[in-house]
Amino acid sequence: MALNDDLSTLREIGRRHVDDLSSALPAGGESPRGSALVKLVGEALNAMTLALDALPGEFASAQDDKDREAVVEKARGYTYQLRQLHMALPWVESASHHHVSQGTVLLFDAMAEAMLGVAADVIPTPNETYMYAVRAKPFRSAFVSVKKPYPSLSPPVIVYYPAGEVDSVFLHLIAAHELGHGAVLERDLIQGVKTAHGDLTPVYAKLSDAANALHNATALDLTLATAEVTRVFRNWLEELLCDALALSYLGPSFLLASATFGVQFSGSTPGSSHPSNAFRTHLLLEQLDAMGWTSEFQEELPQVHSWLADIASKPMDPSAGAHYEHIQDALDLLAATIRHVTDLRDLAFTPNAFTDRAELAELISARILPAQLLNGKPTRRRSVIYAGWLHAFGEAGDHAANLARITADRSLQAFLTKALEMSVILQKWESV
Ligand SMILES: [Zn+2]
């Protein structure tokens, strides 16, 4: 009897979640942004309702108490998924009343499309933590739990930005890295690296060195040490893939954003989730070079470049776990392959795409919105952003410490985002 009571209580609670969420969601058609999310949650609720309705039948046909217990556990699992779905409520709110400027939203849209390969329902949301983060295709596990495929609609993508940085478009470039995490998953880039690399023997040898080092330095047996090394390697590889995707898409602008952000989080000390800022900077500089940017970047910002090169050449913190050095060596061997699988090709921002530099510089200096070029064409968003960085350094001086002053200049960044917005409008106008 008790099990039956548990089941009916959980089902009632489940239904209550469904009713509450259904009535809290907008009927649709209000704002196009967020409408895919609303649809997704609606489908999840329908699937959950069907699953909850099927439980009494499953309970009745259960053979013994153990089976009945399993049905109750299933009901509890559904209530877990339904509680997760409540996360959508503040997102839906953000979709219709977001605080970031239209230019920023359009930039996020373009970044998400480049990274994920499809137009997404991007919802910028303030984060109470000082951190950028992305949730691409949320609520997958709700559909998995009821054995339904994830609905095929333009995928909802929640982009969290630090609440105090609403207008900081230079920092918002970090979102490209976060969107990269969605791309790594969607496009299975970890496997992509393995397939594209060819002979992995030297890489595995480094990982085996790492496992031995960890085993010797700790009480972990070799199997557990190997598992830990594999976990760290995978984490780091994913982070480096995201960095590389972001740099491919944004060019030197991402390096500057990442320098401003990354320097606050780590120096030459790695952690199990992220490689050190020194190693990340090393790979970003290598990639910048491979993309053909180095001479132009060095010419524009020699001091900043040498500061970055200095960071990149720092040896690993000797107090870091002995295994980390070998894992880093393994990833260094994969650097060219990481660049290869993350190269966005036609969508990459290369020096050839920055031919409008002089004209943009003039417009920005004169505070004329850089939305349209003299030839009547709309400006390129990523050119505007990089020209904006260069203009800001031109005013503040070529020094790393000015990264703070530049990213604090909200009025310049608001001006640039307005230009992004107008250039998109012009582009749409042209294509009508
Ligand atoms: Zn990351």
Side-chain angles (χ1 to χ4, degrees), residues 177-178 181 239 274:
H177 165 101
E178 299 301 331
H181 284 288
E239 294 302 331
H274 290 71

Side-chain angles (χ1 to χ4, degrees), residues 188-208:
D188 202 2
L189 292 180
I190 302 252
Q191 185 56 44
V193 168
K194 281 189 189 163
T195 315
H197 188 72
D199 183 14
L200 286 162
T201 319
V203 177
Y204 289 136
K206 294 283 179 202
L207 294 180
S208 155

Side-chain angles (χ1 to χ4, degrees), residues 331-388:
L331 288 159
D332 217 5
L333 292 173
L334 292 172
T337 313
I338 292 172
R339 288 200 295 273
H340 174 73
V341 302
T342 54
D343 184 346
L344 294 168
R345 311 249 163 3
D346 292 352
L347 288 175
F349 185 58
T350 60
N352 296 337
F354 195 46
T355 47
D356 38 8
R357 189 233 177 297
E359 202 179 328
L360 288 173
E362 241 175 85
L363 290 171
I364 296 171
S365 293
R367 278 290 198 273
I368 298 167
L369 218 53
Q372 187 175 25
L373 296 169
L374 279 174
N375 64 11
K377 292 278 170 219
T379 50
R380 294 177 57 118
R381 275 171 283 208
R382 289 168 284 166
S383 292
V384 170
I385 293 169
Y386 186 37

Side-chain angles (χ1 to χ4, degrees), residues 236-255:
W236 289 14
L237 176 55
E238 176 162 340
E239 294 302 331
L240 298 176
L241 284 163
C242 296
D243 279 352
L245 282 165
L247 194 80
S248 179
Y249 187 68
L250 293 165
S253 298
F254 178 72
L255 184 65

Side-chain angles (χ1 to χ4, degrees), residues 218-233:
T218 62
L220 285 183
D221 70 33
L222 198 54
T223 314
L224 287 177
T226 305
E228 173 60 10
V229 162
T230 309
R231 187 179 73 87
V232 174
F233 170 77

